[in-house]
Each structure stands twice: as structure tokens, then as C-alpha cells.
């Protein structure tokens, strides 16, 4: 009798073990259970612009990518630099502009391109301070409309910079020296590169610079950049110095819209101070940074597909301030705590073509 009971118990244990090993997965698949991968995650290696590093390394994004069976090993690199030659172990490159993709197609690594697609969009903006913005509003350069600060007269602002107007001449007696807009190195970083394009278009009477007109504006673009002295090589480094050193050292800088959103979420203890002192200025028109991902391997293609998932796109906006690069996806500023964000970016001018941009970049690389 005891042997018989022991046999029943043994069979029951075996059945339970079999159910745990096989039945659980079956039920999970029927009921739409967790999509978390089984076994080891696939590591995808590559480089990305500094503005996307915090996104890729965040706990939420790491978790969402793991559900797709992926783990990302990423290094920071300037968008302009990274596309010139990909490392042999790169599965992907993630610059910040379609122009970077076009440059990659002419690089020594061009044969490795398998797929590319825009993932996010970020408008190029200027960051400034309350007192500077107020002075620019009085000068008719900036207009405050529906809670958003727009640079409605960029030609006038560039003229003040070009003619070395003093800050005190626009009512800012507490600031030393002449007006200046600090930007990243356009030969290494995309934000500096795109602002150079925006300057060139502005100086070309608001028309996109082409091969037959670029020589007319290049001397003025070079003159503006020559006054900047040392330029940071990444947008994140420039933004950090803007916040750390303040209005005296960095009255105005060029950056991406998402940077203030992301910083505010990561440093909520500074949120009220940021709301009181920091201003986002939207050039009218501006240019889009489209953040295309370049996939060079099958693993890179898997990452590209994963980044288009709705949950990742939602996290990109709500935790990092990246507007979606997908059709039909809306980005609601009201879910964010940062003030001064428009619901949509309506005034946009195209970038010059890759040939023109390469010429502009080459001319500015000597600084």
C-alpha cells in the first residue's frame, strides 16, 4: 500500500514538473502572456549621437528592448564623424540627420548598408535665459505666442551677431561683450552642422542653399563661426555647460528640443528653477533632425524594427522629449512638465543636399 501511494505521489510530481516546463508556455501563448525572450539576449553594438544615449541606456527602454530579445551596447559619437567610417563591429549607427545617411552612402562603409529609417524627429532650437529672451522680445526678434517663444526675425539676430553688437546695446548691461550664439563643431556634431545649414538658408533670403548659391553665403557663415572659438564636439556637453555656467558664459546655445525635456525628467529637483529661468526659442523656420538609424547587420535591422514599436515611441516622447518619426503618432506636450513646447512644429525649411552640406562642413572644419 505504501509503495502504491509512493508511486502515485511520484507520478503527480512528474506531471506537475511536465506542466511547469511545457504547459505554462502553451497557456501563455494562448492567453497573450509575456513576450519576454527566453534565454540569452542578442547584443546589438553600435554608435549613436550624444542626445540619444540617455534614451538607449534608460531602464524603461532597456526593459522594452529586452522584451524584443535585444540588448544594446552603444557608444557616444558625433553624427557627422560616425558616418565617415563605421567600425567593423558596428551593427548600427544612429546619427541625427538624413544628410548623415547620404554621407554614409559615399563612405568606405557604404556597402554595409542594409536598411535605414527615421526613428524620431527633433527640431533644432536655441536655448537661452529669461533675461535674454525678454530683451530679444523687446528688440522684435522673438515673439511670445500661446506660451511658446518663436524667433520670428532670425536675419536680424544674425545681423546683430555679425556686426558684433554689444549685449548692453539691447538692454543687457549685466552681460559682457557682444552677442554670440554658441553651437557644437559642425564638422563633428549634427546640431552644429544643421545650424550652419539654417544660417546658410537664412542668408540666402530664406531659400534652400544649392550648388549655385552656396558660394555667395559661405563667407558670412564662416565669419559667424570664426567668432565662436572652441566648440564642443557633442550636443550633450554643450547643453550641460549651458546649465552649469549660466547666462554669463552661455547666453544662447543651439540644441535639440528634447534636451530640456529629458534633463527635467532626470533632474526633477531642478524643474522649478528651469521653468523660471530657461527658455526654448524656436526659429521660424527651423530644420528637423530626423534621427535615422542605419542598420548594417541583421541585428541592426532587428533594433530598427524594435524602435518603431508603439511602447518605445511613447517612452521616447514622455521620458526623453523625442517626437515620433512615425506617421499618425501624436505627441501631446501636456503630458510633460516642461513649459513652452508647441504641439506641432509647422514652420520648417529643408536642409541643403548632401553635396552642398559637405562643402559647408569642409569650409567650417578648419576652426
Amino acid at each position: 500500500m505504501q509503495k502504491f501511494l509512493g508511486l502515485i505521489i511520484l507520478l503527480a510530481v512528474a506531471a506537475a514538473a511536465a506542466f511547469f516546463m511545457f504547459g505554462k508556455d502553451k497557456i501563455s501563448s494562448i492567453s497573450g502572456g509575456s513576450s519576454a525572450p527566453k534565454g540569452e539576449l542578442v547584443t546589438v553594438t553600435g554608435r549613436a549621437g550624444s542626445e540619444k544615449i540617455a534614451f538607449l541606456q534608460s531602464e524603461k527602454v532597456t526593459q522594452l528592448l529586452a522584451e524584443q530579445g535585444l540588448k544594446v551596447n552603444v557608444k557616444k559619437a558625433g553624427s557627422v564623424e560616425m558616418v565617415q567610417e563605421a567600425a567593423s563591429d558596428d551593427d548600427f549607427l544612429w546619427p541625427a540627420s538624413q544628410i548623415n545617411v547620404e554621407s554614409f552612402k559615399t563612405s568606405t562603409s557604404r556597402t554595409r548598408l542594409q536598411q535605414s529609417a527615421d526613428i524620431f524627429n527633433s527640431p533644432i532650437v536655441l536655448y537661452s535665459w529669461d533675461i535674454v529672451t525678454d530683451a530679444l522680445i523687446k528688440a522684435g526678434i522673438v515673439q511670445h505666442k500661446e506660451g511658446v517663444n518663436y524667433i520670428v526675425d532670425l536675419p536680424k539676430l544674425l545681423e546683430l551677431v555679425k556686426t558684433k553688437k554689444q549685449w548692453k546695446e539691447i538692454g543687457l548691461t549685466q552681460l559682457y561683450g557682444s552677442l554670440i550664439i554658441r553651437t557644437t563643431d559642425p564638422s563633428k556634431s549634427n546640431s552644429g552642422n544643421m545650424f550652419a545649414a539654417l544660417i546658410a538658408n537664412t542668408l540666402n533670403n530664406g531659400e534652400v542653399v544649392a550648388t549655385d548659391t552656396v558660394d555667395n553665403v559661405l563667407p558670412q557663415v564662416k565669419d559667424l563661426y570664426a567668432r565662436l572659438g572652441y566648440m564642443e564636439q557633442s550636443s550633450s556637453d554643450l547643453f550641460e555647460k549651458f546649465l552649469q555656467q549660466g547666462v554669463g558664459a552661455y547666453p544662447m546655445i543651439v540644441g535639440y528640443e528634447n534636451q530640456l525635456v529629458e534633463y527635467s525628467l532626470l533632474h526633477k529637483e531642478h524643474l522649478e528653477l528651469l521653468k523660471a529661468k530657461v527658455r526654448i526659442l524656436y526659429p521660424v523656420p527651423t530644420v528637423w533632425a530626423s534621427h535615422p538609424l542605419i542598420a548594417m547587420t541583421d541585428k541592426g535591422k532587428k533594433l530598427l524594427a524594435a524602435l518603431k514599436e508603439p511602447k518605445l515611441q511613447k517612452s521616447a516622447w514622455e521620458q526623453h522629449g523625442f517626437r515620433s518619426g512615425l506617421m499618425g503618432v501624436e505627441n501631446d506636450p501636456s503630458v510633460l512638465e516642461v513649459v513652452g513646447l508647441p504641439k506641432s512644429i509647422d514652420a520648417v525649411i529643408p536642409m541643403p543636399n548632401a553635396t552642398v552640406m559637405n562643402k559647408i562642413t569642409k569650409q567650417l572644419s578648419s576652426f
Side-chain angles (χ1 to χ4, degrees):
M1 183 68 178
Q2 287 181 342
K3 289 183 178 179
F4 181 70
L5 287 173
L7 180 60
I8 292 175
I9 293 170
L10 182 62
L11 289 171
V13 170
F19 174 80
F20 182 80
M21 292 176 65
F22 306 109
K24 186 180 179 183
D25 286 343
K26 188 174 182 181
I27 290 175
S28 176
S29 65
I30 293 172
S31 63
S34 171
S35 61
K38 314 245 179 342
E40 190 173 344
L41 299 175
V42 174
T43 298
V44 191
T45 300
R47 287 177 285 167
S50 62
E51 70 287 343
K52 295 182 284 286
I53 296 298
F55 167 78
L56 285 170
Q57 294 180 342
S58 71
E59 184 178 349
K60 179 69 172 178
V61 170
T62 300
Q63 176 190 340
L64 290 172
L65 287 174
E67 290 176 5
Q68 302 293 320
L70 302 175
K71 176 183 178 182
V72 175
N73 178 17
V74 64
K75 292 181 180 178
K76 181 175 78 171
S79 294
V80 178
E81 248 183 339
M82 76 171 74
V83 297
Q84 293 173 359
E85 185 174 0
S88 59
D89 62 342
D90 280 336
D91 297 306
F92 72 93
L93 299 175
W94 200 358
S97 169
Q98 190 60 38
I99 293 296
N100 303 139
V101 178
E102 296 306 312
S103 295
F104 179 80
K105 290 178 180 178
T106 64
S107 73
T108 55
S109 304
R110 61 186 179 275
T111 57
R112 297 182 59 199
L113 175 63
Q114 292 197 17
Q115 188 180 357
S116 69
D118 293 347
I119 306 298
F120 306 137
N121 285 311
S122 297
I124 290 294
V125 301
L126 268 61
Y127 284 105
S128 192
W129 302 90
D130 54 339
I131 59 171
V132 176
T133 303
D134 290 344
L136 294 177
I137 290 173
K138 288 179 181 178
I141 293 170
V142 171
Q143 183 180 89
H144 187 77
K145 183 180 179 182
E146 297 179 353
V148 182
N149 291 302
Y150 295 100
I151 302 175
V152 293
D153 198 342
L154 185 57
K156 183 176 180 180
L157 177 59
L158 295 178
E159 182 65 21
L160 293 178
V161 174
K162 186 174 70 171
T163 57
K164 302 180 182 180
K165 288 290 183 182
Q166 301 287 302
W167 287 110
K168 62 184 179 182
E169 293 182 68
I170 64 168
L172 292 170
T173 56
Q174 63 271 55
L175 296 185
Y176 175 78
S178 56
L179 271 76
I180 195 166
I181 304 169
R182 294 198 173 275
T183 182
T184 55
D185 187 338
S187 67
K188 294 180 170 62
S189 168
N190 183 70
S191 60
N193 193 263
M194 294 192 77
F195 189 62
L198 183 57
I199 290 175
N201 287 346
T202 301
L203 295 174
N204 193 42
N205 298 315
E207 298 292 332
V208 179
V209 174
T211 52
D212 60 341
T213 55
V214 64
D215 288 334
N216 298 331
V217 300
L218 260 180
Q220 298 176 73
V221 177
K222 286 178 65 177
D223 182 57
L224 287 167
Y225 272 80
R227 297 189 51 224
L228 296 179
Y230 174 76
M231 289 177 280
E232 297 293 337
Q233 296 187 17
S234 80
S235 305
S236 61
D237 291 344
L238 178 61
F239 187 70
E240 285 178 13
K241 288 194 174 181
F242 166 77
L243 293 177
Q244 291 168 359
Q245 298 185 26
V247 64
Y250 293 88
M252 285 187 290
I253 68 164
V254 176
Y256 299 108
E257 177 191 48
N258 80 289
Q259 289 178 281
L260 183 61
V261 176
E262 185 175 69
Y263 186 89
S264 299
L265 289 165
L266 292 174
H267 302 277
K268 289 196 173 184
E269 69 277 13
H270 299 150
L271 182 59
E272 293 309 313
L273 182 61
L274 293 172
K275 285 181 179 180
K277 293 295 182 183
V278 177
R279 302 289 183 266
I280 309 178
L281 311 181
Y282 291 85
V284 180
T286 186
V287 285
W288 277 115
S290 55
H291 302 285
L293 189 132
I294 299 170
M296 296 178 288
T297 65
D298 287 341
K299 291 193 289 184
K301 288 168 69 177
K302 288 179 181 178
L303 176 62
L304 189 154
L307 289 169
K308 291 184 176 183
E309 288 294 317
K311 287 182 181 178
L312 273 158
Q313 291 282 317
K314 186 173 185 287
S315 177
W317 172 246
E318 295 182 359
Q319 271 89 50
H320 302 274
F322 287 111
R323 295 178 186 262
S324 178
L326 305 183
M327 291 283 290
V329 179
E330 293 188 3
N331 303 119
D332 183 5
S334 67
V335 303
L336 304 174
E337 295 186 81
V338 175
V339 296
L341 301 177
K343 187 171 184 179
S344 61
I345 307 298
D346 300 320
V348 180
I349 189 169
M351 289 281 291
N353 65 42
T355 301
V356 172
M357 283 310 304
N358 287 337
K359 186 167 188 176
I360 293 173
T361 303
K362 187 176 181 180
Q363 288 293 312
L364 300 179
S365 62
S366 59
F367 297 128

